[in-house]
Amino acid sequence: MSSSTTVRTARRRTLRIAAAALTAAAGLTLTACAGSDAADAKSASHASSAAGEATASGWSGLQSTDAKAVVANKQSGQQAGSAHTANGGKAASPVRTQRLADGISKAEIYKLGDQHYRAKIVAHGSVLATLETKGHDDGLDANDMFVTLTLDGQVHSWMGGGHQGPGTFKLAGGWTAKVTKIGELRYRAQIIGHDGVAATLETNQHDVGLNANGIYIVLSNGGVISAHA
């Protein structure tokens, strides 16, 4: 075989190999593109499905977090609106208002339930103290003006007559009070009648009061006791 024939044959083989390589490369490119398109389509389909599921159920995937936040904020807004309405609503009116013994302050008396009353002690438009019956009478020592609120919503007030405990003291109505200190701002008073101890008052950082058969008694958290008919 001549040298020119050999060269032509080699060129043909080189062209065939190159063509085959180009065909294979094109095939791979087409396969890769097809695979990428399929993956994109699958991802898009999955995302669309997930979004559809989130819309349908309301609590799916990442959408659920946003949905809950929106619902929570909406509910919070509704609750805030309700609270605003409640606070903005007209307050309950007192069943009556009563002038107190000092001639300056008054008691605004509210009925909250059966044997459940609240009395606001008001002076010059400001609430100075609050008494409330909750299964028992209540009392207050307001700078030597003593006030009681009884279970039936009656307010009684008087000036002075206090005894500083500890000690044993004679009270109005023939009662005797034995006052003992049991802790910081804590005093106990045994109310003693002809037949022995009839009642016990005990302060626990706040004043207390009692209606003892028409004798009204206050024991302060400072150990002062006073009674009035």
Side-chain angles (χ1 to χ4, degrees), residues 125-160:
S126 299
V127 177
L128 305 180
T130 301
L131 291 83
E132 186 171 335
T133 64
K134 228 173 179 183
H136 56 77
D137 304 326
D138 201 5
L140 172 70
D141 176 5
N143 295 327
D144 208 37
M145 178 180 73
F146 298 91
V147 185
T148 60
L149 175 65
T150 61
L151 284 169
D152 58 357
Q154 300 300 312
V155 170
H156 298 268
S157 65
W158 64 96
M159 300 297 298

Side-chain angles (χ1 to χ4, degrees), residues 9 23 27 39 62 74 80 87 96-97 105-106 111 120 144 149 155 171 177 181 183 226-227:
T9 302
T23 301
L62 193 57
K74 186 175 181 182
N87 291 333
R96 71 180 185 281
T97 301
S105 55
K106 61 183 179 179
K111 184 172 183 179
K120 294 181 180 180
D144 208 37
L149 175 65
V155 170
L171 302 180
K181 184 174 183 178
S226 181

